[in-house]
């Protein structure tokens, strides 16, 4: 058993980190400045397309990289980490279906639960957005519309959302630790105080548990594993961002700290597919089906 | 990333399964929890069966994945736990294997593997719990012996042990971590008094051990004099490796049983409880995956368990308590009846966030050794 990243997977992650790290760091704050009507940077979207963010699971004959869910999950974790805006999951799922989605020429939004992200900026909306009403979105980086008829949620969309949440969880843990190491009060770094240190430790524990669940779900592609990944990644992202904000103290409550952007994005993603009720019910039903037990025997 | 096993690993699993199917029906009846000599005999008998079948050293020499498979399969088959062999196989044994002289390894390891001798652990003291290095049990040199006086606490199997892995202070003037030595103390020596301690679950699962001028040969010291703290850390890292594999498997089984019982008694119709059970399903699935992740990591790094064990223990100990709290919700008023399944387990789950490093100490370890936060108080 080798449940670890392969060298190729590590290399892929490094490339993605490099490209989006360089392109999006400044971009995020430019976008926040456009609040409440942020625009998608089409050049950056095409750059994501070139990087293979949307096409990587398509067969090579169709212009993809022929990679699988594990690689997609690693890429979406990085996108989440870097707070990359836009309907990333919807466009990824539309690759090979909607012309131009794979290459980043087309921006595709999708009704997910009763919400649509980035409707006004999208070239195509799946399955449609009849009767959509704009919300004043809590997340300055994700414009939202409500739609009357809830859309169906693809398990792959749930998994990739969990991967983004994992990225957020890892990022806010890092931000909390950085702050705890450098901020001094009472003559010492606050990370030396157990009350602060333990918040950081708990944050890391949630990240590592969510990581194991998300990566395993990507390997098995099993819907119950995906539901578990979703529940744990939501928790890791939302609780992690809350604790990160707490560790930052008053600065964490300001607009110019990036902490709130992570928390708000985590909240938006946690609502996808109508929240995690369905995942919890699926996990509960699985207990009676006995599938958990047989599944554990096989793997 | 791969969750599949090699052909060799699959073959090991199949052989083990077949063997378990053959031998488990031949086991004697399990002794009652209060019957310590009976428990000793039962646990040693099981170890002897493992030895004869070639599985005795699976905790020591096998690859981490093989160990994972062994623990998973024995739990699923309902095989006996490591029981009285715990300290010998998972604490003292690995320490002696890593730090002992060839003569010491030859003296102590084969009897552990064969199921001939039982070890207990004399580490904690009434005034040295989380701050283990503050231990005060003193050992003075007198010729070829150490003379040991002090007291130890939380010692499991003390009543039936042949040996005790003992931490003693051999230099009271040195900084606290540098004045400790590791001794193998024969439990038959004069001056040892064992007083059983009753836990909140009602049973005497461990004991206090009082030492009054107990003579221990200098040749029973493993590692250098005053180097016992480092020697001990070797032991503790073993404890935090694959220690909970069988338990996670067992928790997943209990969770399934809880769901069945909730459906039977109607509690399943409560969406809050049902979704809580769903969340616990996610929790234990993830803990199983984290185990596989940690084992794969240990495999890649040559078999040494890392601080990942602390991350795992923090989450697992909490999840186990949540599991049995959920069991109480399923049982309703019956959760107050000690005769009902899961009620005693709920009580014993309370020790998990305390034993083998409290959650607070584990969080310090994670924060300082993984996240690099400053040490502080």
């Amino acid at each position: 058993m080798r449940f670890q990243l392969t060298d190729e997977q590590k290399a892929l992650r490094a490339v993605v980190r490099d490209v989006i790290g360089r392109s999006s760091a400044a971009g995020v704050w430019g976008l926040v400045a456009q609040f409440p009507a942020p625009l998608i940077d089409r050049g950056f979207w095409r750059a994501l397309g070139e990087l293979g963010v949307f096409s990587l699971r398509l067969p090579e004959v169709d212009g993809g990289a022929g990679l699988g869910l594990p690689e997609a999950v690693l890429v979406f974790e990085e996108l989440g980490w870097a707070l990359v805006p836009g309907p990333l999951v919807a466009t990824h799922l539309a690759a090979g279906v909607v012309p131009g989605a794979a290459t980043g020429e087309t921006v595709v939004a999708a009704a997910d639960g009763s919400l649509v992200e980035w409707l006004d900026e999208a070239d195509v909306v799946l399955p449609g957005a009849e009767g959509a009403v704009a919300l004043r979105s809590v997340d300055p980086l994700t414009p939202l519309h409500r739609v009357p008829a809830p859309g169906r949620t693809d398990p792959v969309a749930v998994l990739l959302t969990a991967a983004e949440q994992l990225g957020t969880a890892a990022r806010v843990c890092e931000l909390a630790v950085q702050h705890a190491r450098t901020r001094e009060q009472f003559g010492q770094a606050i990370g030396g105080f157990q009350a602060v240190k333990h918040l950081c430790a708990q944050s890391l524990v949630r990240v590592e548990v969510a990581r194991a669940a998300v990566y395993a779900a990507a390997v098995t592609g099993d819907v119950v594993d995906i539901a578990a990944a979703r529940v744990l990644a939501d928790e890791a992202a939302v609780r992690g961002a809350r604790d990160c904000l707490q560790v930052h103290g008053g600065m964490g409550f300001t607009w110019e700290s990036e902490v709130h952007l992570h928390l708000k994005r985590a909240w938006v993603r946690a609502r996808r597919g109508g929240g995690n009720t369905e995942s919890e019910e699926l996990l509960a039903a699985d207990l009676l089906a006995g599938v958990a037990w047989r599944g554990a025997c096989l793997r | 990333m791969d969750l599949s096993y090699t052909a060799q690993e699959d073959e090991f699993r199949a052989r083990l399964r077949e063997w378990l199917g053959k031998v488990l029906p031949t086991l004697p009846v399990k002794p009652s929890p209060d019957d310590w000599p009976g428990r000793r005999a039962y646990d040693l008998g099981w170890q002897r069966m493992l030895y004869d079948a070639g599985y005795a050293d699976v905790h020591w020499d096998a690859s981490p994945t093989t160990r994972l498979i062994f623990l998973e399969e024995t739990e699923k088959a309902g095989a006996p736990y490591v029981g009285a062999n715990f300290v010998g196989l998972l604490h003292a044994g690995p320490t002696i294997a890593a730090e002992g002289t060839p003569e010491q390894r030859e003296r102590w390891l084969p009897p552990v593997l064969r199921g001939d001798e039982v070890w207990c652990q004399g580490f904690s003291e009434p005034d040295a719990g989380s701050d283990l290095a503050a231990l005060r049990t003193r050992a003075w040199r007198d010729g070829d012996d150490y003379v040991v006086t002090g007291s130890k606490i939380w010692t499991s199997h003390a009543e039936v042990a042949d040996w005790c892995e003992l931490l003693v202070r051999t230099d009271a003037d040195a900084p606290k971590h540098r004045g400790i030595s590791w001794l193998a103390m024969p439990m038959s020596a004069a001056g040892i008094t064992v007083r059983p301690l009753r836990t909140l679950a009602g049973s005497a699962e461990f004991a206090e051990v009082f030492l009054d001028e107990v003579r221990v040969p200098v040749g029973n010291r493993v590692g250098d004099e005053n180097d016992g703290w480092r020697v001990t850390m070797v032991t503790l890292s073993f404890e935090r490796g694959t220690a909970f594999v069988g338990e996670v498997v067992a928790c997943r089984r209990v969770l399934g049983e809880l769901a069945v019982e909730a459906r039977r008694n109607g509690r399943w119709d409560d969406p809050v409880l049902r979704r809580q059970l769903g969340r616990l399903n996610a929790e234990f699935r993830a803990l199983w995956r984290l185990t596989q992740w940690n084992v794969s990591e240990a495999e890649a790094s040559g078999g040494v368990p890392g601080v990942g064990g602390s991350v795992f223990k923090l989450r697992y100990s909490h999840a186990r308590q949540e599991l049995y709290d959920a069991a109480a919700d399923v049982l309703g008023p019956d959760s107050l009846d000690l005769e009902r399944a899961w009620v005693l387990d709920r009580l014993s789950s309370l020790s998990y966030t305390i034993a083998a490093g409290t959650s607070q100490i584990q969080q310090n370890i994670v924060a300082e050794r993984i996240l690099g936060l400053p040490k502080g108080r």
Side-chain angles (χ1 to χ4, degrees):
Chain A
M1 189 180 53
R2 295 286 177 276
F3 187 34
Q4 292 279 299
L5 300 198
T6 63
D7 290 342
E8 291 79 8
Q9 287 166 340
K10 285 181 193 160
L12 170 71
R13 189 175 63 178
V15 169
V16 173
R17 198 170 278 184
D18 194 40
V19 171
I20 62 179
R22 254 181 299 164
S23 322
S24 79
V28 166
W29 286 107
L31 211 58
V32 172
Q34 296 165 3
F35 179 74
L39 304 172
I40 286 185
D41 175 345
R42 294 298 179 132
F44 181 55
W45 204 254
R46 277 191 296 274
L48 292 177
E50 268 171 48
L51 185 58
V53 165
F54 308 121
S55 64
L56 70 94
R57 289 190 306 125
L58 290 181
E60 287 180 48
V61 289
D62 297 331
L67 296 171
L69 283 177
E71 288 76 17
V73 152
L74 291 173
V75 170
F76 274 76
E77 179 185 345
E78 292 305 316
L79 297 169
W81 188 95
L83 209 56
V84 174
L88 297 158
V89 173
T91 303
H92 176 96
L93 289 176
V97 180
V98 174
T103 55
E105 291 301 320
T106 310
V107 174
V108 182
D112 185 315
S114 53
L115 294 167
V116 184
E117 300 173 20
W118 292 97
L119 178 64
D120 290 342
E121 282 294 290
D123 304 311
V124 176
V125 185
L126 299 174
E130 220 151 288
V133 180
L135 305 185
R136 212 158 73 83
S137 175
V138 69
D139 177 9
L141 295 174
T142 313
L144 290 169
H145 282 71
R146 275 204 82 129
V147 285
R152 200 184 68 84
T153 306
D154 186 321
V156 174
V158 177
L159 177 62
L160 297 180
T161 295
E164 289 183 295
Q165 294 287 57
L166 172 62
T168 291
R171 179 63 179 148
V172 290
C173 181
E174 284 174 28
L175 288 173
V177 170
Q178 274 170 21
H179 188 74
R181 270 199 208 138
T182 47
R183 168 75 174 169
E184 292 192 5
Q185 289 287 277
F186 304 101
Q188 68 167 75
I190 60 171
F193 296 114
Q194 289 190 346
V196 174
K197 174 183 289 188
H198 288 185
L199 284 181
C200 296
Q202 287 158 15
S203 199
L204 182 77
V205 169
R206 287 190 296 261
V207 171
E208 293 307 319
V209 170
R211 184 186 305 284
V214 170
Y215 289 0
V219 172
T220 67
D222 176 79
V223 287
V224 185
D225 281 338
I226 289 174
R230 191 251 156 96
V231 165
L232 295 165
D234 278 352
E235 182 200 36
V238 173
R239 291 275 317 273
R242 293 283 287 264
D243 287 350
C244 177
L245 199 156
Q246 185 68 25
V247 167
H248 277 74
M251 279 310 294
F253 191 64
T254 63
W255 187 262
E256 63 253 46
S257 155
E258 74 174 272
V259 181
H260 71 106
L261 299 176
H262 292 285
L263 176 59
K264 290 166 178 174
R265 186 73 66 86
W267 276 343
V268 168
R269 293 194 204 108
R271 294 308 318 168
R272 287 188 192 157
N276 58 25
T277 309
E278 206 175 300
S279 297
E280 289 177 355
E281 289 287 2
L282 180 65
L283 285 156
D286 168 67
L287 291 172
L288 287 175
V291 176
W293 186 239
R294 284 201 299 278
C297 286
L298 289 171
R299 287 273 170 266
Chain B
M1 285 186 270
D2 190 3
L3 284 162
S4 60
Y5 293 90
T6 65
Q8 214 178 359
E9 289 160 353
D10 281 336
E11 196 213 310
F12 173 82
R13 186 190 296 274
R15 247 190 313 124
L16 174 60
R17 231 180 243 186
E18 192 195 333
W19 179 74
L20 288 167
K22 251 188 342 223
V23 300
L24 291 184
T26 71
L27 281 182
V29 180
K30 225 178 152 188
S32 98
D34 304 324
D35 176 9
W36 281 99
R39 281 173 68 170
R40 175 190 157 106
Y42 183 84
D43 294 345
L44 287 178
W46 171 241
Q47 180 60 28
R48 180 67 196 209
M49 287 166 86
L50 289 173
Y51 178 82
D52 289 340
Y55 294 114
D57 59 350
V58 73
H59 298 288
W60 298 359
D61 290 337
S63 73
T65 305
T66 306
R67 197 153 61 235
L68 175 84
I69 295 169
F70 176 83
L71 294 166
E72 182 188 2
E73 290 299 325
T74 47
E75 173 58 41
K76 282 182 177 166
Y81 295 117
V82 62
N85 305 301
F86 182 81
V87 174
L89 284 173
L90 296 167
H91 283 250
T95 304
I96 294 164
E99 300 288 329
T101 63
E103 295 74 29
Q104 289 174 331
R105 293 203 291 269
E106 190 47 42
R107 165 63 192 88
W108 285 311
L109 300 186
V112 168
L113 291 178
R114 280 196 308 264
D116 287 340
E117 289 183 346
V118 168
W119 284 70
C120 64
Q121 187 184 72
F123 282 11
S124 298
E125 297 180 6
D127 290 326
S130 290
D131 186 8
L132 180 59
L135 61 91
R136 292 197 303 216
T137 292
R138 283 284 281 140
W140 288 271
R141 281 288 277 271
D142 180 27
D144 289 339
D145 288 338
Y146 286 107
V147 179
V148 184
T149 293
S151 64
K152 294 291 177 179
I153 196 166
W154 320 129
T155 305
S156 300
H157 303 104
E159 295 91 332
V160 294
D162 302 288
W163 296 93
C164 178
E165 55 165 344
L166 191 70
L167 289 182
V168 293
R169 184 154 305 282
T170 35
D171 184 350
D173 299 324
K176 65 180 181 178
H177 293 90
R178 306 228 179 99
I180 295 170
S181 299
W182 194 106
L183 304 180
M185 176 176 76
M187 289 300 284
S188 57
I192 301 177
T193 309
V194 174
R195 188 174 78 87
L197 270 173
R198 204 165 172 209
T199 73
L200 58 73
S203 56
E205 279 304 309
F206 33 57
E208 269 186 287
V209 178
F210 300 96
L211 307 171
D212 182 14
E213 297 192 358
V214 179
R215 299 191 81 87
V216 179
V218 170
N220 286 18
R221 190 190 67 229
V222 170
D224 290 339
E225 188 168 271
N226 299 325
D227 195 29
W229 185 256
R230 189 190 58 76
V231 170
T232 304
M233 286 303 110
V234 174
T235 314
L236 291 184
S237 74
F238 274 98
E239 182 172 15
R240 289 169 191 162
T242 46
F244 300 109
V245 169
E247 296 196 14
V248 171
V249 173
C251 283
R252 294 188 70 182
R253 181 180 57 231
V254 168
L255 188 56
E257 290 166 1
L258 280 183
V260 170
E261 172 62 16
R263 192 135 86 171
R264 197 195 60 76
N265 71 15
R267 296 284 286 128
W268 189 254
D269 297 335
D270 174 356
V272 175
L273 175 70
R274 198 172 59 229
R275 287 175 60 189
Q276 170 63 4
L277 294 178
R279 291 193 74 89
L280 283 165
N281 189 6
E283 189 73 30
F284 283 104
R285 277 171 175 263
L287 285 167
W288 180 248
R289 298 312 190 186
L290 185 57
T291 301
Q292 290 179 311
W293 182 266
N294 287 343
V295 163
S296 299
E297 191 175 42
E299 191 96 52
S301 70
V304 182
V307 277
S310 287
V311 169
F312 181 88
K313 199 223 168 214
L314 273 166
R315 186 77 173 214
Y316 167 64
S317 55
H318 185 69
R320 188 178 175 97
Q321 292 176 353
E322 282 195 333
L323 173 69
Y324 286 107
D325 284 344
D329 284 341
V330 170
L331 288 171
D334 285 349
S335 66
L336 302 177
D337 179 357
L338 286 169
E339 291 297 317
R340 287 300 301 256
W342 307 319
V343 177
L344 272 176
D345 295 310
R346 188 187 190 199
L347 291 175
S348 57
S349 77
L350 297 172
S351 73
Y352 278 72
T353 47
I354 300 169
T358 65
S359 291
Q360 286 65 38
I361 292 293
Q362 302 287 0
Q363 286 176 119
N364 287 350
I365 291 172
V366 168
E368 290 163 15
R369 299 201 204 150
I370 303 180
L371 297 176
L373 288 170
K375 284 190 174 248
R377 279 165 207 289

